[in-house]
Amino acid sequence: MPRPTILTVDDDEPVSAALARDLRTRYGKEFRIIRATSGQEALDILTELALRTRPVALIVTDQRMPGMTGIELLAEAGSKAPGAKNLLMTAYADTDVAIAAINDVGLDHYLLKPWDPPTERLYPVVDDLLDDWRAENPDAEVDVRVVGHRWSERTYEVKTFLARNHVPYLWLDVEVDEEGRRLAGLAGAGPDDLPVVLVPDTDPMVSPSTVDLADRLGLRTHAEQPLYDLCIVGAGPAGLAAAVYAASEGLQVVVVEREAPGGQAGRSASIENYLGFPRGLSGADLTHRAIAQARRFGAELVLARDVVGFEQRGPVRAVLMAGGDEIEARAVLVATGVSYRKLEADGLETLTGRGVYYGADASDAAQVRDEVVFIVGAANSAGQAALNLAQHAKQVVMVVRGKSLEASMSQYLVDRILAAPTISVRYETQVAAACGEGHLELITLEHSDGTREDVPATWMFVFIGASPRTDWLGDAIVRDRAGYVVTGQEIAWHDGAGSAHWVLSRSPYPLEASVTGVFAAGDVRLDSMKRVASAVGEGAMAVHLVHRYLATV
């Protein structure tokens, strides 16, 4: 594959040469650095690169240039290098124009000139942009291949696991790909055995478990240390934030995640109200950055392991996993978040994974191209999914029990949904039943007046509220009736049960559960805000409280 291009555009020759020199110094081994001194010259270069199918990773352009401004150039460049990231170099007086360009031309970042020293001002920005470009443009030669069909529940689970763990793969559908049928036959896999996962230099894996797949891919599935300072259960925003802060402060930390890092936030196509990202960022991007940060400080991440129990062993807390493994730590943070509740409607259970899905990943959008998609729910997650899927689907229909979206969804999402021509909203409506031979084919909608309507459907994504999975904690940890962990001062009076559990003379710390040394953060905690920013804040706060606790034992 030819080296991707970084194109710089500046009409000031000394400035252009200096920028190209700084970029070549850091990125020259991986990328071609090409200079242009005008917008038109840059467009000519992009046209030639497109004709030669040469990838363009980044366009760095000055704003004030004669004939064509940097923003005008980027608007034209979008059709010639649609996947390229863009960076606008501008003066302080032009910052309002640059901010407007975030919406007008999809500007990724702007940087005030001068950029000296580049190690502090230029390289960190370019590093992030190129990391994003690499994630969106994996090498053409992908090692892992997944053979299956789109209505296989296990196939969907495997593809989701790979995507959320940033493992690039080639998808071969046996219904349309002759090569897929050939490989399935060679592996001895019938229709009920799919998927087949092929990893170089190993035997084919037929309908592998998540743990076996993770092991084969070299992902860590076992803890390395006999005892940790802190075991974090759950790798959503709260768990990853706690891992970063705890590891950076010298604690030995392990994070256990049963599916893939990121939690529900990691599945979001765009998080637009998170501080510091005016264009928003995807949940996968936020997760990828957080994992890299946690690992940089030395935190361990154990994947694809389901936690099934908890024990107190004197000053040690033990987390028990399916398969018999366990992790011992001096303190435990419960950050398991929540899962979408199951929709109670006739016929849905047998169609789960075969057209009916709970939640949606950003990667799901491509497979619903030119089809009609139903989304059940009216929270922010449902709104974000609707906007993402609408980029590819022929039509997105939101099924909402209430009379409006405003009661449960942020206004910026409501405005975009109501303005989207390919999204319609069915108010005061719910799904009463579903049916299909082998996959979803028809759903029954029930309206508030009791009337019912049968509509064809092959894709339905459900977002109808959430519930925590905390049964593994046992009776020692006080929870409310829905399963949320009770923490802090509320333990003493909650349902009259807390006083029987709390035995110390001191009051529990704000995020501490009814067992000393066990803390909860994020959506799993009773009365949490259910927002990414608050989960990150609670994860950081929990580490401060863990330090206080460890100092006393």
Side-chain angles (χ1 to χ4, degrees):
M1 183 177 181
R3 282 190 301 163
T5 295
I6 296 177
L7 176 64
T8 72
V9 192
D10 199 306
D11 66 305
D12 188 319
E13 176 63 30
V15 173
S16 175
L19 178 59
R21 178 201 64 218
D22 287 345
L23 291 171
R24 190 172 289 111
T25 297
R26 186 171 181 103
Y27 308 105
K29 290 184 178 180
E30 184 180 355
F31 297 90
R32 298 172 66 220
I33 313 300
I34 299 179
R35 287 200 292 146
T37 56
S38 70
Q40 187 56 56
E41 182 185 2
L43 292 176
D44 292 342
I45 291 172
L46 291 173
T47 299
E48 182 179 355
L49 292 172
L51 291 173
R52 296 184 178 184
T53 62
R54 302 260 181 175
V56 178
L58 175 65
I59 301 171
V60 184
T61 180
D62 185 38
Q63 165 61 7
R64 294 192 178 187
M65 297 185 295
M68 183 182 298
T69 67
I71 292 174
E72 291 171 340
L73 163 63
L74 294 176
E76 293 288 332
S79 61
K80 302 178 185 298
K85 298 298 177 180
N86 47 64
L87 171 61
L88 187 71
M89 309 293 285
T90 186
Y92 179 78
D94 294 325
T95 53
D96 288 344
V97 176
I99 292 172
I102 292 173
N103 288 326
D104 295 340
V105 300
L107 179 66
D108 290 303
H109 208 290
Y110 69 90
L111 188 64
L112 298 181
K113 299 168 70 173
W115 61 88
D116 288 328
T119 54
E120 297 180 9
R121 302 199 57 216
L122 178 64
Y123 295 156
V125 172
V126 175
D127 283 347
D128 279 349
L129 292 174
L130 292 179
D131 282 346
D132 291 345
W133 183 85
R134 291 187 191 98
E136 296 168 8
N137 297 270
D139 292 343
E141 301 236 349
V142 178
D143 289 335
V144 178
R145 288 173 289 177
V146 179
V147 180
H149 63 83
R150 63 174 180 165
W151 304 125
S152 162
E153 180 180 3
R154 185 59 191 149
T155 297
Y156 179 80
E157 292 171 353
V158 165
K159 291 169 63 180
T160 300
F161 178 81
L162 293 173
R164 295 187 64 194
N165 282 283
H166 306 283
V167 177
Y169 66 91
L170 177 64
W171 160 240
L172 298 170
D173 189 337
V174 295
E175 294 181 342
V176 295
D177 294 316
E178 179 61 36
E179 177 67 4
R181 289 191 289 271
R182 185 183 73 84
L183 292 172
L186 290 175
D192 296 332
D193 301 321
L194 298 175
V196 175
V197 181
L198 300 107
V199 180
D201 302 322
T202 65
D203 294 332
M205 305 181 72
V206 178
S207 191
S209 69
T210 304
V211 175
D212 289 342
L213 178 58
D215 283 333
R216 185 73 63 88
L217 294 170
L219 302 177
R220 181 176 292 169
T221 59
H222 301 275
E224 293 188 348
Q225 304 296 327
L227 179 67
Y228 294 85
D229 294 316
L230 176 63
C231 175
I232 301 169
V233 184
L240 290 174
V244 169
Y245 281 95
S248 69
E249 294 169 6
L251 296 181
Q252 281 196 314
V253 182
V254 62
V255 185
V256 185
E257 170 58 49
R258 71 169 176 162
E259 294 178 350
Q264 284 194 3
R267 307 182 71 178
S268 175
S270 180
I271 303 171
E272 298 188 65
N273 56 0
Y274 190 59
L275 183 66
F277 294 89
R279 277 199 71 203
L281 77 168
S282 69
D285 187 18
L286 176 63
T287 302
H288 183 67
R289 293 167 186 254
I291 292 171
Q293 198 171 13
R295 283 176 169 160
R296 173 192 165 203
F297 289 121
E300 288 184 32
L301 185 61
V302 174
L303 293 173
R305 300 305 303 271
D306 196 7
V307 174
V308 297
F310 165 78
E311 291 182 359
Q312 302 177 65
R313 299 174 180 173
V316 171
R317 306 290 177 256
V319 170
L320 313 180
M321 295 182 289
D325 288 357
E326 60 183 38
I327 295 176
E328 290 190 332
R330 300 167 65 203
V332 169
L333 174 63
V334 181
T336 47
V338 293
S339 301
Y340 289 111
R341 287 203 299 266
K342 299 294 183 181
L343 180 61
E344 299 295 333
D346 293 340
L348 279 190
E349 185 173 353
T350 59
L351 296 173
T352 300
R354 296 177 171 84
V356 177
Y357 306 97
Y358 289 88
D361 290 291
S363 59
D364 287 328
Q367 64 181 338
V368 301
R369 185 178 300 278
D370 299 328
E371 299 198 44
V372 177
V373 176
F374 287 82
I375 291 180
V376 183
N380 278 3
S381 54
Q384 290 163 347
L387 291 170
N388 179 46
L389 294 170
Q391 297 179 51
H392 297 272
K394 177 182 178 181
Q395 182 74 29
V396 173
V397 181
M398 299 190 70
V399 180
V400 178
R401 294 185 65 177
K403 297 181 178 180
S404 72
L405 294 174
E406 285 82 356
S408 55
M409 187 181 295
S410 295
Q411 190 62 46
Y412 78 95
L413 289 173
V414 174
D415 293 341
R416 291 185 184 179
I417 287 170
L418 297 182
T422 57
I423 300 178
S424 61
V425 185
R426 307 285 294 270
Y427 297 107
E428 298 185 88
T429 303
Q430 58 186 324
V431 175
C435 63
E437 291 294 328
H439 63 86
L440 179 66
E441 295 178 311
L442 188 79
I443 61 174
T444 300
L445 300 179
E446 182 175 329
H447 307 291
S448 59
D449 60 3
T451 60
R452 291 194 171 195
E453 173 188 3
D454 291 335
V455 295
T458 52
W459 298 94
M460 184 169 71
F461 298 90
V462 181
F463 304 80
I464 58 164
S467 58
R469 181 186 169 276
T470 53
D471 55 316
W472 61 273
L473 288 168
D475 296 334
I477 304 294
V478 174
R479 303 184 295 282
D480 77 343
R481 290 183 175 85
Y484 290 95
V485 178
V486 181
T487 58
Q489 298 296 323
E490 293 186 359
I491 295 173
W493 55 264
H494 185 81
D495 288 343
S499 59
H501 290 268
W502 192 256
V503 296
L504 296 185
S505 57
R506 69 167 175 85
S507 298
Y509 297 130
L511 300 182
E512 193 170 20
S514 54
V515 171
T516 59
V518 178
F519 300 82
D523 292 0
V524 75
R525 191 180 66 82
L526 180 64
D527 290 334
S528 64
M529 282 183 60
K530 309 297 186 290
R531 289 290 186 270
V532 173
S534 62
V536 169
E538 288 190 6
M541 179 181 173
V543 174
H544 169 69
L545 301 173
V546 167
H547 278 296
R548 292 177 61 184
Y549 166 75
L550 293 179
T552 65
V553 296

